[in-house]
Every structure is written in C-alpha cells, then in structure tokens.
Amino acid sequence: MEATELQQLLYKEIPITKALQVQVDNLTSNSIQLSAPFEANKNIHNTAFAGSIYTTATLAGWSLVTHLVQQHQRQGSVVLASATIRYSKPIEGDIVASCQVSDPDVIEHFLKRFDSRGRGKLSLEIDVIEAGESKATMQADFAVIKKIS
C-alpha cells in the first residue's frame, strides 16, 4: 500500500480524518508519520487541541497496523484495544505523529498469533513531535481480528 492509498482509506473509513485534515506524510514497510495542520486543530489557548493530538496519534498507530496487515496479505479488522497518552508540553504548530515496529521478530510473532488464533495484538509507542522535540507520547495496543468471509 502506498501513502496515497492509505490516505484515501483513512478518508473513506474514518471520516473525521477529513475534518482534522490528517495527511500521511511518510510510509515505509514498518513505520509511518501522519500530520494534522495546526489551524484545523487548535484550541482556545492557541495550542494544539488535546483531542486532536490523541486522535492523530491513534490514527498513526491504526494506519501502521492496517498497513502491516495488508502488506503481509492478511485480512482483519484493526481496532484500538487500549491507550494512554502523556502530554509533556504544549504543541504550537502542526501535530506530527509517528511510530514504527523496528524489530522484525515482533511482526513475525504477531502474524503467527494472528494465523493460529484469528486475532493478534501489537503494542506501539507513538510519538508526537514538534520541531524535533517529543511533546506527547501514546502507548497503545491495537487488536486485529480476522475477517470471516
């Protein structure tokens, strides 16, 4: 899947992504970076709205897991199982969320579990960065449930 295809999928399957103006900036086999423009996601304090930060981080994780599932020719529904976020500093510009799965063994274990049980789980750390500095970090578990045809 290419970044433009993922962008279209987000807009189709998760309509709020259009209102937030979420963009897929970078997509590799095991990483992603999404952004949402400040002007569409600011609050009354002229900083990025916490809900938009949370949503953009969630979408980065959901998108990466969706990409991994499709890349490995699996069919499954990706859902957020649990998440916590820590906001360390205000964001005064665009919201940029990124995550990766750097250990191929983690992906292999996820796929084996998915194949044998019809469900799998990936735990991700999603960073929200502004000007090279981490401003929020989400710890999230995404579940993937096999689609029954």
Side-chain angles (χ1 to χ4, degrees), residues 16-66:
I16 189 79
T17 57
K18 280 186 183 179
L20 297 174
Q21 300 177 23
V22 170
Q23 297 292 313
V24 179
D25 297 328
N26 190 25
L27 180 65
T28 71
S29 63
N30 67 338
S31 69
I32 192 164
Q33 179 178 301
L34 297 184
S35 64
F38 178 72
E39 286 301 316
N41 293 284
K42 66 182 180 178
N43 62 25
I44 61 172
H45 307 290
N46 210 33
T47 59
F49 178 59
S52 293
I53 296 168
Y54 188 96
T55 302
T56 304
T58 300
L59 290 166
W62 182 91
S63 296
L64 180 58
V65 175
T66 297

Side-chain angles (χ1 to χ4, degrees), residues 53-118:
I53 296 168
Y54 188 96
T55 302
T56 304
T58 300
L59 290 166
W62 182 91
S63 296
L64 180 58
V65 175
T66 297
H67 176 60
L68 289 169
V69 168
Q70 290 187 0
Q71 180 176 286
H72 293 279
Q73 289 105 32
R74 304 306 198 280
Q75 295 284 325
S77 295
V78 179
V79 297
L80 179 65
S82 66
T84 59
I85 192 165
R86 186 177 152 268
Y87 303 97
S88 54
K89 292 185 178 179
I91 296 174
E92 298 171 327
D94 294 346
I95 301 166
V96 179
S98 63
C99 63
Q100 67 178 355
V101 180
S102 54
D103 184 351
D105 291 341
V106 170
I107 297 171
E108 185 178 327
H109 176 73
F110 158 73
L111 292 171
K112 283 182 181 178
R113 186 175 176 105
F114 179 79
D115 291 341
S116 67
R117 297 186 182 181

Side-chain angles (χ1 to χ4, degrees), residues 122-149:
L122 276 176
S123 297
L124 299 175
E125 179 174 290
I126 302 137
D127 285 316
V128 183
I129 299 167
E130 181 184 30
E133 182 180 4
S134 180
K135 301 273 182 113
T137 305
M138 175 181 273
Q139 302 292 329
D141 293 330
F142 289 88
V144 183
I145 302 161
K146 190 176 283 188
K147 289 183 180 177
I148 300 170
S149 303

